[in-house]
């Protein structure tokens, strides 16, 4: 080969290499392979730092802040704001049009919702929430991602409080009322079964519809990070402990329909949650509507009593 030609190839290769590293700063990461999974993330960005997410929230240790009133959500009932959804290979991401605003006491500014996505396990049998409450996980976790004062994501990552995430738990239960919003959402999943697929949404469900009857006054607040590389420590977390109850088929739909590659042969997109990170010297605050010591979650609710009754019946029967 002629030497100039070889030189051109080297220059081209270098340019491509530079372009690759500068556009994909988080590097290749994954959930399920020791080579690129959560243990290996330590080498990426802030992932090995001390203010990471998710965490286990120990409710008796949370400090009640009487100034943390209900979160105020504007525009979340507007189904037209859910413009499109995409399979990123790591989650299903719904793009939100402008106009959804979050404000609350304890937040330094008004935040604008940009997108929402979910984390899940393997259906009803394996929970896949990222945060835990008193060492208990839930079937799935919904994250609504907001930026401070409508900053671009790039600019928000430079501000220690640049991003606010609202986290909602989703729990599969056979006793849940059918939810038209979740049904509609899961009906769209087939269209984005493969990584890279995107579909426009049709206004058939809204974010408020998905949130159902969650009490927006009851939440925990702490300072943490993104739960995917580069794990930037720029997130004000608001975690609502009372789960949204959905029928089991809703929770089963995500890991059974979505693929983590662009092939129908799989592997399926499942267990896309980061393991718990240590709280370190951080403090979790409880909103005014939560009781510090025994919260209402320690009072058995009718649905929670059913497994207990079944166990008692089973024990009695064995005796
Ligand atoms: C992560 O942090 C720990 C404790 O500070 C340190 O021992 C370890 O070497 C770090 N790992 C990496 C990959 O930086
Ligand atoms: Zn998330």
């Amino acid at each position: 080969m002629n030497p100039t030609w070889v030189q051109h190839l080297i220059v081209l290769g270098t340019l491509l290499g530079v372009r690759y590293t500068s556009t994909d700063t988080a590097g290749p990461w994954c959930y399920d392979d020791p080579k690129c999974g959560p243990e290996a993330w330590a080498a990426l960005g802030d992932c090995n730092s001390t203010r990471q997410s998710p965490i286990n929230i120990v409710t008796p240790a949370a400090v009640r802040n009487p100034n943390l009133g209900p979160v105020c959500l504007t525009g979340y009932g507007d189904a037209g704001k859910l413009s499109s959804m995409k399979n990123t290979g790591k989650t299903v991401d719904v793009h939100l049009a402008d106009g959804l605003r979050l404000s609350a006491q304890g937040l330094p500014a008004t935040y604008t919702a940009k997108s929402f996505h979910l984390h899940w396990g393997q259906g009803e049998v394996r929970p896949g929430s990222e945060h835990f409450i008193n060492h208990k996980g839930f079937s799935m976790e919904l994250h609504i991602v907001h930026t401070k004062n409508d900053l671009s994501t790039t600019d928000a990552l430079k501000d220690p409080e640049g991003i606010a995430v609202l986290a909602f738990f989703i729990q599969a239960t056979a006793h849940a009322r059918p939810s038209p919003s979740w049904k509609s959402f899961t009906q769209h999943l087939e269209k984005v079964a493969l990584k890279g697929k995107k579909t426009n949404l049709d206004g058939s469900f809204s974010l408020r519809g998905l949130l159902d009857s969650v009490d927006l006054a009851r939440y925990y607040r702490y300072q943490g990070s993104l739960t995917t590389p580069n794990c930037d420590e720029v997130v004000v977390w608001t975690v609502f402990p009372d789960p949204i109850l959905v029928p089991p088929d809703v929770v089963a739909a995500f890991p059974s329909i979505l693929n983590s590659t662009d092939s129908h042969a799989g592997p399926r997109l499942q267990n896309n949650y980061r393991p718990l990170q240590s709280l370190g010297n951080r403090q979790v605050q409880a909103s005014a509507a939560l009781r510090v010591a025994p919260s209402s979650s320690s009072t058995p609710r009718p649905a929670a009593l059913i497994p207990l009754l079944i166990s008692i019946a089973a024990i009695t029967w064995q005796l």
Side-chain angles (χ1 to χ4, degrees):
M1 235 193 255
N2 147 351
T4 344
W5 183 203
V6 171
Q7 231 170 23
H8 282 149
L9 274 181
I10 291 168
V11 170
L12 181 67
T14 314
L15 285 176
L16 287 176
V18 166
R19 201 181 118 74
Y20 174 77
T21 46
S22 64
T23 53
D24 194 4
T25 48
W29 57 271
C30 69
Y31 285 106
D32 52 358
D33 180 340
K35 288 199 287 292
C36 52
E39 296 307 316
W41 299 0
L44 305 172
D46 289 344
C47 298
N48 198 31
S49 195
T50 54
R51 258 179 33 190
Q52 291 290 291
S53 298
I55 57 166
N56 171 42
I57 295 173
V58 179
T59 64
V63 177
R64 187 159 174 263
N65 180 346
N67 296 321
L68 295 181
V71 156
C72 177
L73 305 180
T74 311
Y76 291 61
D78 185 347
K81 299 295 186 190
L82 279 58
S83 45
S84 62
M85 72 190 239
K86 184 178 180 181
N87 177 341
T88 66
K90 301 290 199 297
T91 187
V92 58
D93 199 43
V94 177
H95 178 76
L96 299 168
D98 190 40
L100 274 59
R101 308 231 191 280
L102 154 70
S103 57
Q105 281 160 320
L107 291 180
T110 297
Y111 286 77
T112 299
K114 296 291 183 183
S115 63
F116 72 88
H117 62 265
L118 293 112
H119 301 269
W120 58 86
Q122 268 169 280
E124 226 186 334
V125 293
R126 178 160 169 182
S129 69
E130 295 208 300
H131 288 88
F132 278 50
I133 301 287
N134 297 327
H135 307 282
K136 183 184 177 297
F138 298 85
S139 304
M140 304 202 288
E141 188 168 326
L142 169 71
H143 287 162
I144 312 177
V145 181
H146 305 71
T147 66
K148 189 180 181 179
N149 295 326
D150 208 7
L151 288 173
S152 69
T153 308
T154 318
D155 287 338
L157 292 177
K158 295 174 193 151
D159 181 325
E161 290 175 321
I163 292 182
V165 181
L166 299 182
F168 296 90
F169 296 118
I170 293 132
Q171 183 60 47
T173 164
H175 315 286
R177 286 178 291 118
S179 158
S181 300
W182 282 98
K183 187 164 185 214
S184 194
F185 185 9
T186 52
Q187 277 169 350
H188 284 85
L189 294 179
E190 294 285 0
K191 294 179 204 145
V192 295
L194 302 183
K195 178 184 176 182
K197 290 282 181 204
K198 190 173 172 181
T199 187
N200 287 331
L201 293 174
D202 51 9
S204 59
F205 64 99
S206 72
L207 207 35
R208 202 69 187 88
L210 295 177
L211 303 186
D212 192 37
S213 55
V214 172
D215 184 345
L216 297 175
R218 292 169 46 82
Y219 59 86
Y220 295 95
R221 166 78 44 78
Y222 80 100
Q223 193 74 30
S225 73
L226 298 180
T227 65
T228 56
N230 283 327
C231 314
D232 306 67
E233 295 185 329
V234 296
V235 182
V236 184
W237 281 93
T238 304
V239 180
F240 297 86
D242 305 324
I244 300 163
L245 303 179
V246 299
D249 60 336
V250 167
V251 163
F254 290 82
S256 62
I257 297 174
L258 301 171
N259 291 277
S260 64
T261 70
D262 59 4
S263 156
H264 280 289
R268 294 277 187 264
L269 176 38
Q270 41 188 230
N271 301 320
N272 58 345
Y273 56 89
R274 186 185 195 194
L276 292 171
Q277 306 294 305
S278 66
L279 180 64
N281 60 12
R282 286 175 290 177
Q283 191 185 68
V284 175
Q285 298 198 331
S287 69
L290 287 169
R291 298 283 167 272
V292 181
S295 76
S296 67
S297 60
S298 65
T299 314
R301 295 181 180 191
L305 273 175
I306 290 163
L308 179 68
L309 291 176
I310 292 170
S311 337
I312 292 171
I315 292 164
T316 318
W317 185 77
Q318 274 179 353
L319 293 173

